[in-house]
Amino acid sequence: YDQVGLARRGQLHQRIGLRLEAGYGARAGEIAAQLAVHFERSGATAQAVHYAQQAADNAARRNAHYEASTALRKGLALLATLAESPERSQHELALLLTLGELLRTTQGVGAPDVGDAYTRAYTLAQQVGETRQRGQALQGLSRFHLVQAQLRLAGELCQQYCDLASEKHDQTL
């Protein structure tokens, strides 16, 4: 492997990834972690991010929270290499909301990483988020600040959450 040039390695990873994807068809998500690696090494960043998120979802379903958060962080790192766009921001928001939930479970509501994830998610949700995503970001961030005993800020965020639910007439919020 080390004797193969970087360009050729990238081509091989691309071909392997495409072949595995085609071979597994609709079940490609089962090998999402493997596909993410091949597409990352081939330079197909968008595909790598897609499969990193699927790998995280697979790991979370198995309660493998560490592996899930590792895959999500990898996906976020790959996203950071792409040009700014609404699609990139939307994808980053989805990854951050999932990561925030996982970190709340593994590290606790008041962990700094939880606050970081929800703070960034809140910023993105205001720009590109749907109502549900804005609500998730507000809820996660308000809980973080409540546990941090930042009651005034937590209250303001809770009020924004209630206003959002009232404004959108969304019973699920």
Side-chain angles (χ1 to χ4, degrees):
Y1 185 81
D2 290 337
Q3 295 175 353
V4 177
L6 288 177
R8 179 72 177 139
R9 270 191 236 169
Q11 291 170 347
L12 291 172
H13 280 291
Q14 179 74 19
R15 288 177 60 195
I16 292 168
L18 291 172
R19 178 62 190 111
L20 286 171
E21 192 176 46
Y24 274 79
R27 294 182 21 238
E30 294 174 11
I31 60 164
Q34 185 178 357
L35 288 169
V37 169
H38 285 299
F39 287 123
E40 177 189 359
R41 291 183 180 171
S42 74
T45 305
Q47 287 174 291
V49 170
H50 169 74
Y51 284 113
Q53 182 163 15
Q54 277 196 324
D57 293 343
N58 293 346
R61 275 193 299 278
R62 294 187 323 269
N63 289 322
H65 299 300
Y66 176 78
E67 289 80 4
S69 62
T70 299
L72 289 168
R73 288 177 197 269
K74 183 64 165 178
L76 288 167
L78 289 168
L79 271 177
T81 67
L82 297 175
E84 287 283 336
S85 71
E87 294 80 23
R88 177 191 159 215
S89 296
Q90 182 62 45
H91 209 119
E92 183 181 359
L93 174 59
L95 291 174
L96 285 167
L97 290 171
T98 304
L99 180 61
E101 287 296 314
L102 282 169
L103 293 174
R104 275 185 16 186
T105 302
T106 58
Q107 297 180 9
V109 178
D113 287 347
V114 172
D116 293 344
Y118 280 119
T119 298
R120 177 70 178 146
Y122 176 68
T123 301
L124 289 171
Q126 289 182 307
Q127 297 169 7
V128 298
E130 302 167 6
T131 302
R132 183 186 58 79
Q133 291 173 317
R134 288 181 11 220
Q136 279 182 279
L138 278 168
Q139 187 179 57
L141 195 55
S142 65
R143 287 178 179 171
F144 168 76
H145 287 294
L146 181 65
V147 169
Q148 292 290 319
Q150 298 168 342
L151 302 181
R152 189 177 58 173
L153 182 54
E156 291 169 6
L157 291 166
C158 285
Q159 185 60 51
Q160 286 181 39
Y161 182 79
C162 290
D163 292 345
L164 178 66
S166 296
E167 172 188 318
K168 298 296 181 179
H169 305 290
D170 190 331
Q171 294 300 317
T172 59
L173 289 179

